[in-house]
């Protein structure tokens, strides 16, 4: 028998976790890209990457097979240089990107592109259309629209770009803003592609947000100062009109 005061197992109710989620009635969509513009974008990207010579190289290292009896020497062998099956020493410094400065001007992959958009570092975004599931890139539509970054979905982007870059796949490719224009490698390609990028369809935004630059900040500050001056003059003129409309007796009392 169960002890008095303790609930029976059947009487204990299971705790049902409740999760709150917010859904939007708007479904963001990528703008349709004409076939001519698609071929132009892919060709421009491929030619620019090949001319820049940007590629990720990985040298495969082959380690000789060891028996269980030789496991005692495994700890000491790890300190030795990497040796291939032919007995040649492999240099691990060859692994990596051929041009590090050019690589820093790109954001490759969905995660890297998302972080760059949140930090307002991109000036152009291209997304592969063959991403599965498709909703993996839906958040990039609103991010690019709110930050005024030209973005579009390009078919066969991964097939065309992954080869020259030496990668297996490229689901998203972003071009970063550089501090100095002299160091920019992809300026001409970005300017040519931007003209072919369609506008992003975001229903809850009236239009894409304009890109804010340091010069724009100065202009906005000047406009705010002019607006404040105009409001001050308007208030002064209104107060003068009110005083002129007052009766003489009230004016004398006020004095």
């Amino acid at each position: 028998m169960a002890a008095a005061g303790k609930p029976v197992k059947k009487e204990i109710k299971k705790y049902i976790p409740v999760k709150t989620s917010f859904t939007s009635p708007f479904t963001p969509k990528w703008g349709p890209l004409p076939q001519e513009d698609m071929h132009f974008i892919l060709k421009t990207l491929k030619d620019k990457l090949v001319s820049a010579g940007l590629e990720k190289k990985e040298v495969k290292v082959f380690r000789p097979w060891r028996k269980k009896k030789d496991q005692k020497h495994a700890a000491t062998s790890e300190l030795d240089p990497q040796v291939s099956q032919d007995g040649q020493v492999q240099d691990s410094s060859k692994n990596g990107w051929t041009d590090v400065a050019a690589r820093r001007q790109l954001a490759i992959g969905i995660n890297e592109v998302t972080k760059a958009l949140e930090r307002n570092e991109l000036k152009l975004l291209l997304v592969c259309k063959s991403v599965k599931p498709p909703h993996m890139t839906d958040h990039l539509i609103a991010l690019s629209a709110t930050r005024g970054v030209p973005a579009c979905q390009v078919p066969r982007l991964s097939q065309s770009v992954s080869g020259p870059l030496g990668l297996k796949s490229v689901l998203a490719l972003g071009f970063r803003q550089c501090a100095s224009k002299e160091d920019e490698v992809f300026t001409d390609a970005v300017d040519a592609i931007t003209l072919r990028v369609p506008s992003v369809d975001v229903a809850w935004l009236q239009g894409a947000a304009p890109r804010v630059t340091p010069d724009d900040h100065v202009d906005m500050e000047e406009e705010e100062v002019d607006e404040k001056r105009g409001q001050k003059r308007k208030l002064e003129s209104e107060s003068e009109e009110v005083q002129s409309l007052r009766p003489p007796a009230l004016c004398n009392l006020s004095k």
Side-chain angles (χ1 to χ4, degrees):
M1 293 180 65
K6 291 185 178 181
V8 185
K9 291 183 178 179
K10 293 182 179 180
E11 296 178 358
I12 298 175
K13 295 182 180 180
K14 294 184 178 180
Y15 174 73
I16 301 175
V18 179
K19 294 183 179 180
T20 305
S21 60
F22 297 94
T23 58
S24 174
F26 306 105
T27 55
K29 295 181 181 179
W30 293 101
L33 183 67
Q35 192 171 5
E36 296 179 358
D37 295 342
M38 179 196 72
H39 291 300
F40 175 81
I41 291 173
L42 294 178
K43 186 178 183 302
T44 305
L45 276 177
K46 191 173 182 180
D47 295 343
K48 188 60 182 179
L49 292 174
V50 171
S51 63
L54 180 63
E55 184 181 1
K56 186 177 183 181
K57 293 185 178 181
E58 293 183 357
V59 180
K60 294 183 180 180
V61 178
F62 299 95
R63 293 184 178 275
W65 182 76
R66 299 181 182 276
K67 295 181 180 180
K68 293 182 179 180
K69 296 180 180 180
D70 299 335
Q71 288 181 354
K72 296 179 181 180
H73 305 284
T76 57
S77 63
E78 289 179 356
L79 302 175
D80 297 338
Q82 298 174 351
V83 182
S84 64
Q85 290 181 350
D86 300 333
Q88 298 179 356
V89 178
Q90 298 285 347
D91 187 8
S92 61
S93 62
K94 294 181 180 179
N95 296 336
W97 293 92
T98 55
D99 191 349
V100 180
R103 172 61 182 89
R104 290 174 180 172
Q105 299 181 18
L106 297 178
I108 303 174
I110 298 175
N111 294 335
E112 191 173 347
V113 163
T114 303
K115 293 178 181 179
L117 275 175
E118 291 174 348
R119 298 170 184 172
N120 295 325
E121 296 177 353
L122 295 186
K123 56 183 178 180
L124 178 64
L125 172 62
L126 302 176
V127 178
C128 186
K129 194 175 182 179
S130 60
V131 177
K132 293 182 181 180
H135 65 79
M136 289 180 63
T137 58
D138 287 348
H139 67 284
L140 299 176
I141 302 175
L143 279 175
S144 59
T146 53
R147 283 154 178 79
V149 178
C152 69
Q153 197 176 44
V154 184
R156 293 182 289 176
L157 176 67
S158 181
Q159 300 175 7
S160 303
V161 176
S162 59
L165 289 176
L167 301 174
K168 294 182 180 179
S169 64
V170 178
L171 301 181
L173 181 64
F175 296 87
R176 300 180 186 271
Q177 300 177 6
C178 297
S180 61
K181 295 183 179 180
E182 297 178 356
D183 299 335
E184 292 184 356
V185 180
F186 308 98
T187 305
D188 52 349
V190 170
D191 294 341
I193 293 172
T194 304
L195 299 175
R196 304 292 185 100
V197 173
S199 59
V200 180
D201 183 15
V202 180
W204 47 273
L205 286 177
Q206 295 181 358
R211 189 176 302 166
V212 179
T213 60
D215 297 335
D216 295 337
H217 283 295
V218 175
D219 296 338
M220 290 171 64
E221 290 177 358
E222 292 178 355
E223 290 178 359
E224 289 178 356
V225 172
D226 295 339
E227 187 177 355
K228 288 180 180 178
R229 289 177 180 174
Q231 291 178 355
K232 187 177 180 180
R233 291 173 183 173
K234 187 177 179 180
L235 291 173
E236 290 177 354
S237 61
E238 289 178 354
S239 61
E240 290 176 357
E241 291 178 358
V242 170
Q243 289 180 0
S244 62
L245 293 174
R246 286 181 180 177
L250 293 177
C251 293
N252 294 329
L253 289 174
S254 61
K255 291 179 181 180

